[in-house]
Amino acid sequence: MSKLQKTAGASRKRRQKGREPELTPSAKENPAKVNPGKANPAAQRREWFRHVMRQDRFKASALFAGFGLFLLAVSQLFTHDYGFTELGALFTFSVYDLVLAMLGMAVGVAMMEKRRQMALAIGIFLAVLLPMLLFFDGIFTLIREGGLDEILYLVAPVAVAASGISLWLPGKWRDRAVYCAAALVAFSFSLFLGLDDFGVGIAAFATASVLSALWIILAPAFLLRCFKGAWLVIPARIVGSWLIVIAVIVTVSLYVPLPIKAQPPLDLNGETPSAPGMTEDPALQDKGAYGTLQSDGAMQGDEEDAPQGDAPSIFEGLKTPKIGP
């Protein structure tokens, strides 16, 4: 090809660059395929949602979330004996304020740009939680000796507030705040789990609790990550506002004293005066509902009915399983 022909071809391309492309019959019927900006935004949004829901990663995320919900429904709908594994999984849901903090953390994780940032947030959560559970007795002893046991009740509200505040921050600041919230949520959850009656003494209980917490974080995060976009900013801030309000309510409730039920005044003889116009059964006045307690602790009025000797206790045949090492 000569140099003149190349120059003519380049000039022809420059002249055709600003022309509108010719529409095919199918494109004329559906202009959105040629110029999506002029199509109906609602129709575009529906098409985008359908496109995301057809992807394999959305199907896998929905299957992961649905499997956990199925196990939870089976556990609550059918009457059966609970094992330690099932009790551990349900224990996580009983700590409702930390469950809300985990959901806020899930929203923050879903909004991260890269997968390695998401993996780092989960890694920080486990890096704080697992050592606390493995060495809980020693760590908690150090906490008590350091005088921090008097303010441990504030850890859960602070974790909820940190999770909510992180959703209000933009960009990299939000990611860093999510890392801090993950550490606080893990520390608070380890205290609830370690101080439970079963706690870290039963491996199945503790393992199921940790797996349940991971499911609460990862299931919403995977689903929201499939629809990641700028539209998540406003819903995330709404969720963050609610978490901050809940943290404030929980903190205030810790300082408000509980109402004390007023007791009727006692006279000098130690008897409660009866209301005017009310009479008592003479039998109950003499012996009370279960007899009259003497100064030595014996009950009057039932000596003739009391069995001779020591009666066997109904609890003798029961054995409490040993919990812990």
Side-chain angles (χ1 to χ4, degrees), residues 266-271:
L266 298 176
D267 59 3
L268 297 179
N269 295 327
E271 298 178 356

Side-chain angles (χ1 to χ4, degrees), residues 21-222:
E22 295 183 1
L23 298 180
T24 60
S26 59
K28 291 179 181 179
E29 295 176 359
N30 189 5
K33 294 183 179 180
V34 178
N35 193 354
K38 295 182 180 180
N40 187 4
Q44 282 187 344
R45 194 177 300 111
R46 288 194 298 269
E47 181 63 27
W48 177 64
F49 271 96
R50 285 194 293 265
H51 173 70
V52 172
M53 294 175 67
R54 286 193 294 265
Q55 294 179 355
D56 292 338
R57 67 170 185 171
F58 173 80
K59 295 178 181 178
S61 302
L63 182 63
F64 177 66
F67 181 70
L69 292 175
F70 172 75
L71 293 180
L72 181 61
V74 170
S75 174
Q76 297 302 302
L77 293 178
F78 296 96
T79 303
H80 60 284
D81 296 331
Y82 290 89
F84 286 121
T85 302
E86 189 174 2
L87 288 174
L90 295 176
F91 169 79
T92 305
F93 291 92
S94 66
V95 191
Y96 65 92
D97 48 352
L98 290 185
V99 170
L100 296 177
M102 293 176 188
L103 292 177
M105 178 182 165
V107 177
V109 167
M111 298 176 66
M112 291 180 171
E113 293 294 333
K114 300 178 181 179
R115 294 181 180 178
R116 64 181 181 181
Q117 295 174 330
M118 178 179 178
L120 180 58
I122 302 301
I124 292 175
F125 179 81
L126 294 177
V128 176
L129 180 61
L130 295 182
M132 283 288 298
L133 297 181
L134 292 175
F135 310 102
F136 182 81
D137 293 338
I139 295 175
F140 190 71
T141 301
L142 294 176
I143 292 174
R144 296 188 62 182
E145 291 177 354
L148 298 178
D149 55 336
E150 298 180 359
I151 60 173
L152 286 181
Y153 63 93
L154 294 176
V155 176
V158 170
V160 177
S163 181
I165 293 173
S166 65
L167 299 180
W168 268 91
L169 300 177
K172 295 181 180 180
W173 292 103
R174 179 180 60 241
D175 298 341
R176 296 170 183 172
V178 171
Y179 298 151
C180 296
L184 289 172
V185 171
F187 179 73
S188 180
F189 181 65
S190 66
L191 292 178
F192 277 96
L193 185 56
L195 296 175
D196 188 75
D197 293 337
F198 300 145
V200 296
I202 300 178
F205 184 89
T207 303
S209 299
V210 174
L211 294 178
S212 182
L214 287 176
W215 179 84
I216 292 174
I217 297 173
L218 293 178
F222 285 152

